[in-house]
Amino acid sequence: MKRSLFGLGRRRSERSQLDAMQRWIEVTDRSIEVNEALRRFLASRGVRLKERSDYRLIDASWSVADLKSLSEQCALATELRSESESIEARLDDVKAVESSQLESFVALSGVVRRALAEAERRARRAQF
């Protein structure tokens, strides 16, 4: 009887690992889609995603709509990368991707939030 209980625990553990691996694949696939869309959008404005020095080009001269969209994309990219890292930490078979990617999304998000706040202030002043 002890053997059957031990075996059941192992199957649950294996199932849990498989579920985590499946979720990691889903998150990674979605993350790739979001990252590519973010990269294309930024490239259309002359900003390279991997070059933090380019982030200085993101400012209040961009439209509020573009900055809001970018802010939402950054938040989603950050959330997905964070979830992926959390899952990677639990899985033995998955090698972690460079963690600087999460740091880049956080840095980009900060720049975008500041530019958006300034653009919204300017838009409100222009209305009066």
Side-chain angles (χ1 to χ4, degrees), residues 33-126:
E33 292 170 8
V34 170
N35 292 354
E36 186 59 24
L38 187 58
R39 187 197 61 73
R40 278 193 312 269
F41 177 80
L42 290 172
S44 74
R45 302 294 298 260
V47 177
R48 293 169 294 181
L49 182 58
K50 292 187 178 194
E51 295 296 325
R52 288 192 190 181
S53 62
D54 284 1
Y55 295 177
R56 64 181 165 61
L57 300 173
I58 302 170
D59 60 21
S61 66
W62 291 27
S63 75
V64 171
D66 281 350
L67 289 169
K68 281 185 179 180
S69 175
L70 184 56
S71 180
E72 290 168 3
Q73 286 181 317
C74 287
L76 181 57
T78 301
E79 180 183 324
L80 289 168
R81 185 66 225 139
S82 181
E83 183 177 356
S84 180
E85 286 185 7
S86 173
I87 295 169
E88 288 167 1
R90 295 188 319 242
L91 295 174
D92 299 331
D93 299 335
V94 175
K95 183 173 179 161
V97 180
E98 61 184 86
S99 64
S100 66
Q101 191 177 42
L102 180 59
E103 294 167 5
S104 292
F105 291 142
V106 170
L108 179 60
S109 293
V111 170
V112 171
R113 279 193 308 273
R114 286 188 294 278
L116 177 58
E118 180 60 27
E120 287 174 335
R121 275 193 294 278
R122 288 182 183 181
R124 280 192 301 273
R125 279 189 223 134

